[in-house]
Amino acid sequence: MGKPTGFLEYTRQLPTDREPMERIHDFLEFHHRLTDEQQRIQGARCMDCGIPFCHTGLLIKGAASGCPIHNLIPEFNDLSWRGLYREAYDRLRKTNNFPEFTGRVCPAPCEGACTVGLNDIPVTIKNNECHIIDNAFLEGWVTPNPPAVRTGRRVAVVGSGPSGLACADQLNHAGHLVTVFERADRIGGLLMYGIPNMKLDKSIVQRRVDLMAEEGIVFETGVDIGKDMTATELSANFDAIVLCVGATRPRDLSVEGRSLSGIHFAIDFLRENTRRLLDGDKPETTWNAAGKDVLVIGGGDTGTDCVGTAIRHGCRSVRQIEIMPRPALERSAQNPWPQWPAVLRTDYGQEEAIAITGEDPRVYLTTVSRFEGDEQGKIRTVHTVSVQWKRLDDGRMVPETVPGTEKAWPADMVLLAMGFLGPEDTLPDAFGLERDPRSNIKALPDHFATSRRGVFAAGDSRRGQSLVVWAIHEGRGAARACDRFLMGGTNLPT
């Protein structure tokens, strides 16, 4: 696909970003766009490799490889190269309900499996995708498409994150009457309140939600199933239920001083910041990092988002502590293609911190030993110690502290960004559902059925914390399973 010799003739080109010292003063998206001609040439680099690993969507020894929703990547790359953007959009929407989300926030496991990446820099698949869908909206090709026939079956989708929205979208196109319940005041789940505006503008999320509402999906906000409405009441009013409630139980840190004020879960900090932006309110002192020494505990996207948000608040300083070692600059022998390359990346938050201070805010192989507060019970100092990883006889790797490496960091605000442990207990307990050993709702892949008849589960609440693109995959799979349950068969695509 693409131009047969394109990968030899053209180099990889990404859109430029707004300069760090400019973008830290607002919460606007910071990526620019390539021109149609520039992006068209990037489509030409797709090399007609014969076996396109980019859309396999596999897990190889626990590492992602390729696109989980099996986007027809060589096809839309070829159509982009030919300038056929309407046809490229038609290909893209066959497999991806929300390319405007994945084109912005997905880490692109497809690019890690790109065959060009064996010997060169991979194709800009993610940016090609984003360009296609942005063009489709600009040209007016994305319009409401309600189903021609309704089945009369009623389905409740609980949770409006990427898995819930994908599930609702698919079930609605199958003709079912779908109602999405969300406990927050806005639809979107982590798309709305978990990912900062500079990475995913909330008008883009709302645009898609409005489109789905025009297609017949009913959205109910401020309804916490299991509290505001019982499981029995929900079951009485719907023919099937799909739980897409996410893994919203954050991992805590049980060390001395944890109860001091000023120590927050990262997701709470990010949610309150986005709510303030959308409501037009000034941040409350509790959630405002202005003038504070901020310490972020944990790496990953959430940690980066905390760094970037704290900088935009005008923090005095920001550091990011990670217990893992610094990643390698290149693939190791234990991380071969087509696995996702576990290499060092400097994301937007770290870029901004470097632009301000001249140094990377990340401190590796370090863990917190205790928190110290002042006379008013507020966090003042974070004590840390270095660690080294040791392999046990059973093969497990565990961290061991290194004597003599203790260090104290000033901190007025601490943000815990150490991942999530599964869904909260309220809703699974209300339905009396079985859990797996990791406390997720027990439901087999491809079936998505829980231990209660007519109740399905998908997304992070079933598979554990993962990527937006995996959540979309899960939502589409649960929709197929639910449709099969309701109708005795299904024509919904995977």
Side-chain angles (χ1 to χ4, degrees), residues 90-412:
D90 289 339
R91 284 293 191 281
L92 187 53
R93 69 176 180 175
K94 285 180 180 293
T95 54
N96 191 348
N97 303 72
F98 315 121
E100 67 271 32
F101 303 156
T102 54
R104 285 170 166 79
V105 304
C106 183
C110 53
E111 294 185 17
C114 174
T115 305
V116 176
L118 268 168
N119 298 296
D120 198 352
I121 305 175
V123 176
T124 59
I125 299 169
K126 174 180 173 179
N127 288 95
N128 292 354
E129 175 182 306
C130 195
H131 196 86
I132 291 168
I133 187 61
D134 285 352
N135 264 6
F137 273 106
L138 285 171
E139 295 292 339
W141 299 331
V142 187
T143 57
N145 183 30
V149 178
R150 290 289 181 183
T151 66
R153 307 293 200 279
R154 293 171 53 82
V155 183
V157 176
V158 183
S160 67
S163 63
L165 291 180
C167 182
D169 195 37
Q170 293 294 97
L171 288 170
N172 183 60
H173 286 307
H176 304 307
L177 300 167
V178 182
T179 301
V180 178
F181 292 93
E182 170 58 55
R183 67 179 179 180
D185 59 344
R186 289 179 173 89
I187 295 296
L190 70 85
L191 297 168
M192 181 62 70
Y193 282 134
I195 300 172
N197 201 75
M198 54 273 199
K199 286 174 63 175
L200 176 61
D201 192 290
K202 303 313 160 192
S203 64
I204 291 173
V205 179
Q206 191 60 51
R207 177 180 64 185
R208 178 61 69 171
V209 171
D210 292 343
L211 185 72
M212 294 171 68
E214 290 184 65
E215 293 178 333
I217 296 173
V218 177
F219 293 102
E220 297 284 352
T221 59
V223 182
D224 193 352
I225 304 298
K227 293 182 178 179
D228 301 322
M229 182 186 297
T230 68
T232 300
E233 290 171 328
L234 192 68
S235 299
N237 290 307
F238 292 90
D239 300 298
I241 298 167
V242 187
L243 305 179
C244 302
V245 294
T248 53
R249 217 161 31 93
R251 188 186 304 276
D252 208 341
L253 189 60
S254 299
V255 298
E256 179 185 343
R258 171 62 181 89
S259 60
L260 292 167
S261 65
I263 304 173
H264 311 287
F265 289 119
I267 191 63
D268 295 335
F269 172 71
L270 296 174
R271 180 179 59 244
E272 291 306 313
N273 178 76
T274 299
R275 181 176 287 119
R276 174 191 67 82
L277 282 173
L278 296 177
D279 291 343
D281 298 332
K282 293 183 178 179
E284 297 179 13
T285 303
T286 301
W287 304 107
N288 194 344
K292 296 178 181 178
D293 293 310
V294 178
L295 196 74
V296 180
I297 302 174
D301 291 339
T302 302
T304 294
D305 293 339
C306 287
V307 171
T309 300
I311 288 173
R312 282 160 177 74
H313 282 185
C315 63
R316 181 165 51 227
S317 68
V318 61
R319 287 282 184 179
Q320 186 177 6
I321 291 175
E322 298 194 36
I323 196 171
M324 300 302 294
R326 184 178 185 268
L329 295 177
E330 297 181 353
R331 284 183 186 269
S332 69
Q334 291 72 42
N335 177 219
W337 180 91
Q339 285 183 338
W340 171 246
V343 297
L344 180 67
R345 294 175 176 81
T346 301
D347 212 333
Y348 76 100
Q350 290 86 36
E351 287 180 353
E352 293 159 2
I354 292 169
I356 295 169
T357 67
E359 62 177 325
D360 196 317
R362 292 171 288 190
V363 181
Y364 296 97
L365 289 172
T366 300
T367 190
V368 173
S369 55
R370 65 185 177 95
F371 297 116
E372 180 184 344
D374 60 18
E375 295 78 7
Q376 287 76 44
K378 298 179 180 179
I379 183 66
R380 181 179 64 187
T381 306
V382 177
H383 295 269
T384 66
V385 63
S386 298
V387 301
Q388 58 186 5
W389 287 85
K390 178 181 178 181
R391 188 178 297 278
L392 301 180
D393 292 339
D394 61 5
R396 290 182 298 121
M397 297 292 290
V398 296
E400 287 187 342
T401 59
V402 180
T405 60
E406 294 80 6
K407 192 169 183 178
W409 306 83
D412 306 300

Side-chain angles (χ1 to χ4, degrees), residues 57-104:
L58 301 175
L59 286 175
I60 303 175
K61 294 185 177 179
S65 177
C67 178
I69 51 178
H70 313 302
N71 280 336
L72 303 173
I73 294 166
E75 295 187 25
F76 72 62
N77 280 337
D78 177 59
L79 292 165
S80 295
W81 156 243
R82 299 175 189 281
L84 302 174
Y85 278 107
R86 176 59 192 262
E87 289 80 0
Y89 164 64
D90 289 339
R91 284 293 191 281
L92 187 53
R93 69 176 180 175
K94 285 180 180 293
T95 54
N96 191 348
N97 303 72
F98 315 121
E100 67 271 32
F101 303 156
T102 54
R104 285 170 166 79

Side-chain angles (χ1 to χ4, degrees), residues 406-471:
E406 294 80 6
K407 192 169 183 178
W409 306 83
D412 306 300
M413 174 182 280
V414 175
L415 302 173
L416 306 180
M418 303 176 295
F420 297 86
L421 296 174
E424 297 166 38
D425 294 332
T426 302
L427 193 143
D429 288 351
F431 281 94
L433 302 179
E434 292 183 20
R435 307 283 197 98
D436 68 15
R438 296 186 299 160
S439 83
N440 298 318
I441 298 173
K442 189 175 182 180
L444 295 176
D446 299 328
H447 298 283
F448 297 92
T450 69
S451 55
R452 179 164 173 172
R453 178 176 169 77
V455 178
F456 301 83
D460 289 1
S461 62
R462 190 201 70 83
R463 65 174 286 125
Q465 180 187 1
S466 192
L467 306 176
V468 167
V469 69
W470 274 111

